[in-house]
Amino acid sequence: MPIHPTTRRGTLLGALALAGCQTTAMDLAGTGTVAGASSGAGRPAALLSANKADQPMGSVVQALIDLGAKPVSTLTVEQARRQPSMADAVRRVQAQQGVPTTPRPVARVQDLSIPSRNGPIPARAYIPEGGRGPLPLIVYWHGGGWVIADLDTYDASARALAAETGAVVLSCHYRQAPEHKFPAAHDDALVAYAWALGAAQRLGADRRRVALAGESAGGNLAIATAMGIRDQRLPKPAHMLLVYPVAGTDTRTPSYLENTAAVPLGRDDMLWFVDKVTRSPLDLQDPRLDVVGKADLRGLPPATIINAGIDPLRSDGEMLAQKLQAAGVPVVQRTWPGATHEFFGLAPTVPDATEAQRFTAMRLRDAFGVPMASL
């Protein structure tokens, strides 16, 4: 399957000039240093993203900074969890444009609780209007660096997947750091998948047509869950949708250097997240975190990888696509050059998000064997 390269790149020199300052920090694996622009300044970082972004994307980035959001690397965990999100920013833009801010309609939305030996896992089922027989099922995990965000923050992405694919979407929360360090979230994700298979019938879903999906840290949970499914010989999913996934522990990649001070996610922010979630540097050697460096990807389901051009994680997605292809896994990877991290759930305000949602829905419907005309 094809791998689509990024078509527009920034430069580290340009990032330094826009940010106006420099810092030096260890990479995630603790094996070297790299100079980069600090994300602590806030507004220069926002301008860095806005200057490279397409106009609709830039307006959301500017709205985020206008709401008072700061780089998470400058905040406490409690402050980071309380501050405005990109979901808040897009609602601000919609209100300024006189566009309704009501959520995308889905026939039925139901809050659930998944039992686990480590306590209940909050989840939410998005159930569209069904046709004949049970619907396909997408098990989805939200982003937030394993530390912040929740089901509400990523509600728009889950609704879009349900509406665009005609599948039931089970959006799953997980234990978050620093209260619960790695691999707590990864353990919860595998529990949620096994539960979803058992609960498929009462959700009106077909356990033989299941996909995994996730954004950012949730994309990491999705592929780690696929590896756990393979290793534990659980029923294999039909597909993986990985939206700007965390897939490695090297912060010296081209996209980290080009987008050091990007908004809403910069390099220092990723270092902050990893510091909160890991117990020691040894965790960074785990194949569930260093997927591109340490994981065996043979036997995984076909994948679709979505990336943003203005995102430190872009290279993670590109390298992951190459490694999956080398392991014999069918994969398509696409990058939207003028978009930032978190763009996927921003439709219809950001046209790139609308396009990405439709593209992923086409890929998922094909994996499920659902023709377009049936939706």
Side-chain angles (χ1 to χ4, degrees):
M1 302 294 286
I3 298 174
H4 299 275
T6 302
T7 56
R8 186 168 80 191
R9 298 176 183 271
T11 64
L12 177 59
L13 180 62
L16 296 177
L18 282 168
C21 55
Q22 293 186 358
T23 187
T24 299
M26 294 295 289
D27 66 16
L28 296 184
T31 58
T33 61
V34 59
S38 170
S39 64
R43 185 164 295 276
L47 294 175
L48 171 64
S49 288
N51 287 346
K52 294 167 62 180
D54 294 340
Q55 189 279 327
M57 185 79 250
S59 68
V60 179
V61 171
Q62 188 59 56
L64 183 69
I65 204 70
D66 291 343
L67 286 169
K70 297 177 175 61
V72 296
S73 58
T74 67
L75 304 175
T76 66
V77 171
E78 292 73 20
Q79 289 170 333
R81 288 173 177 169
R82 290 197 305 266
Q83 80 163 348
S85 68
M86 289 289 272
D88 298 313
V90 77
R91 283 192 289 268
R92 180 185 178 99
V93 172
Q94 289 170 334
Q96 291 170 341
Q97 296 174 345
V99 176
T101 60
T102 51
R104 186 168 183 174
V106 174
R108 183 157 61 95
V109 179
Q110 179 182 358
D111 285 333
L112 302 166
S113 181
I114 298 174
S116 162
R117 66 180 182 180
N118 295 304
I121 301 170
R124 182 174 296 161
Y126 298 80
I127 305 172
E129 292 288 353
R132 295 181 180 178
L135 302 174
L137 174 63
I138 300 170
V139 184
Y140 166 88
W141 291 276
H142 65 77
W146 310 281
V147 176
I148 63 175
D150 55 22
L151 301 178
D152 292 335
T153 313
Y154 286 79
D155 177 73
S157 292
R159 286 176 177 272
L161 287 172
E164 294 286 344
T165 64
V168 174
V169 174
L170 181 68
S171 180
C172 304
H173 194 48
Y174 41 86
R175 286 173 293 162
Q176 291 175 307
E179 296 87 350
H180 305 282
K181 299 278 192 176
F182 175 83
H186 294 73
D187 292 343
D188 285 356
L190 192 55
V191 168
Y193 176 77
W195 182 88
L197 293 181
Q201 185 174 2
R202 61 181 158 119
L203 293 173
D206 182 355
R207 60 175 288 157
R208 298 168 299 178
R209 294 188 295 162
V210 182
L212 307 177
E215 288 185 59
S216 193
N220 172 265
L221 293 177
I223 192 166
T225 299
M227 292 188 287
I229 291 166
R230 176 200 61 197
D231 296 344
Q232 296 188 20
R233 299 180 183 275
L234 296 173
K236 182 178 176 179
H239 203 79
M240 299 185 293
L241 169 60
L242 311 174
V243 181
Y244 26 79
V246 181
T249 59
D250 180 7
T251 61
R252 299 165 297 173
T253 65
S255 63
Y256 267 104
L257 298 181
E258 294 162 17
N259 300 291
T260 300
V263 173
L265 183 71
R267 182 176 181 274
D268 287 349
D269 302 324
M270 278 302 303
L271 292 168
W272 184 91
F273 285 126
V274 171
D275 174 68
K276 301 297 179 288
V277 77
T278 54
R279 300 161 297 181
S280 78
L282 289 177
D283 284 341
L284 298 172
Q285 305 298 316
D286 192 290
R288 290 170 290 182
L289 293 179
D290 190 8
V291 181
V292 296
K294 299 291 192 303
D296 176 6
L297 303 182
R298 291 174 295 181
L300 296 189
T304 300
I305 303 175
I306 301 300
N307 286 107
I310 311 166
D311 186 352
L313 298 179
R314 187 195 69 234
S315 295
D316 277 28
E318 293 167 348
M319 291 187 295
L320 178 59
Q322 293 167 359
K323 181 159 184 176
L324 285 166
Q325 189 174 61
V329 177
V331 57
V332 169
Q333 185 269 334
R334 282 193 59 183
T335 297
W336 274 259
T340 74
H341 193 77
E342 301 288 1
F343 85 98
F344 186 77
L346 304 182
T349 302
V350 176
D352 281 352
T354 300
E355 184 180 337
Q357 289 174 5
R358 289 175 178 169
F359 174 72
T360 57
M362 176 189 69
R363 296 277 297 160
L364 288 165
R365 287 195 303 265
D366 184 62
F368 293 141
V370 178
M372 183 72 175
S374 68
L375 297 180

